Amino acid sequence: MKKIVVLTGAGMSAESGLKTFRDADGLWEEYPVQQVATHEGWEADPTLVTNFYNMLRKKCQGVQPNEGHRLVAALEDRYDVCVVTQNVDNLHEVAGSTHVIHLHGELMKVCSSKDPDDPRYQQLLTADNCEVEPGTRCGDGSLLRPFIVFFGEAVPNITIAAEECQKADIFIIIGTSLNVYPAAGLIHYVRPGVPVYLIDPKPVSAGANVKQILKGASEGMKELSEIL
């Protein structure tokens, strides 16, 4: 069975109604990134950061996967599929994808602020219980923080993602401008000669061998599904 690796960015979830972080009216809203998405911001005001992610979780309630998410999940009928996502939502999982690597963390999880990667203290929140009371501590005594890779922090899953990309027989990129590193560098792990498809409404400079489909996630995946 051929292996497909799909790299997805904010454009993947935009059709589901989730704003991208970098748009003018994006998810950062009136909050400076430094306040809500850096380790320094967390250290300075953990209450503000906790409440910001509580707000984001509430905004995500009721958001459903789009046709693009469902078509990516449907590839599993014919291929061994690994999804590597820069998104912190769980829409790929809700759509039915079974092998998803989150590079930048998961909005519906919280973790230890002493060691975010210690699985013993990672908790999955539920839709009806998605708020964290500021000041809540986890089992190691540290404050419970969002399971989000803050700007400037290492991306723990990048090595696993790179190993998956090396095994790809087909590589698909959806809804990312390939500007955010280290995720943008994953394309360099794809073996020479492996077909690479990029779905995005805007042209992306990604190299001569990349076949670009200038459509949104859903329409682009419909076209690609027919090609495959």
Side-chain angles (χ1 to χ4, degrees):
M1 189 182 271
K2 282 191 171 179
K3 183 177 188 70
I4 290 183
V5 176
V6 186
L7 173 65
T8 67
M12 184 83 225
S13 298
E15 286 177 38
S16 293
L18 282 183
K19 293 177 179 177
T20 65
F21 280 104
R22 285 176 171 71
D23 284 350
D25 62 343
L27 282 173
W28 301 124
E29 311 261 323
E30 63 275 16
Y31 296 89
V33 170
Q34 290 78 9
Q35 279 188 353
V36 293
T38 64
H39 186 72
E40 293 73 22
W42 167 258
E43 293 281 324
D45 195 343
T47 297
L48 173 80
V49 176
T50 298
N51 285 330
F52 175 78
Y53 288 94
N54 283 339
M55 175 195 75
L56 284 192
R57 285 185 210 104
K58 278 197 278 197
K59 284 194 168 198
C60 287
Q61 284 187 350
V63 173
Q64 295 298 319
N66 58 57
E67 185 70 3
H69 289 107
R70 289 190 285 273
L71 287 169
V72 167
L75 290 174
E76 293 191 16
D77 295 341
R78 294 179 290 146
Y79 299 95
D80 171 15
V81 181
C82 172
V83 177
V84 178
T85 187
Q86 300 172 71
N87 300 333
V88 296
D89 60 61
N90 62 350
L91 294 177
H92 280 297
E93 288 91 340
V94 175
S97 288
T98 59
H99 184 192
V100 183
I101 298 170
H102 285 268
L103 291 179
H104 297 156
E106 297 175 64
L107 185 59
M108 291 305 290
K109 284 185 179 177
V110 286
C111 59
S112 155
S113 52
K114 189 188 291 178
D115 183 3
D117 298 317
D118 189 331
R120 291 175 300 172
Y121 305 117
Q122 292 169 4
Q123 300 173 29
L124 181 63
L125 303 174
T126 57
D128 53 2
N129 183 23
C130 67
E131 286 198 55
V132 175
E133 189 66 36
T136 305
R137 296 189 181 272
C138 73
D140 65 3
S142 70
L143 286 175
L144 213 51
R145 69 162 253 188
F147 186 60
I148 298 289
V149 177
F150 290 146
F151 283 98
E153 290 184 329
V155 177
N157 282 339
I158 196 70
T159 307
I160 305 165
E163 288 168 359
E164 292 292 333
C165 293
Q166 287 173 327
K167 298 183 221 160
D169 299 305
I170 301 167
F171 190 63
I172 303 169
I173 303 162
I174 308 173
T176 174
S177 58
L178 295 179
N179 284 332
V180 178
Y181 283 85
L186 289 172
I187 192 170
H188 302 304
Y189 288 90
V190 179
R191 295 181 318 243
V194 166
V196 179
Y197 299 92
L198 192 152
I199 297 170
D200 199 273
K202 297 175 189 160
V204 176
S205 64
N209 300 327
V210 177
K211 300 174 186 71
Q212 298 205 20
I213 298 173
L214 297 175
K215 294 182 176 178
S218 295
E219 289 305 313
M221 269 307 297
K222 279 183 199 164
E223 184 174 319
L224 181 56
S225 296
E226 289 172 15
I227 294 170
L228 296 175

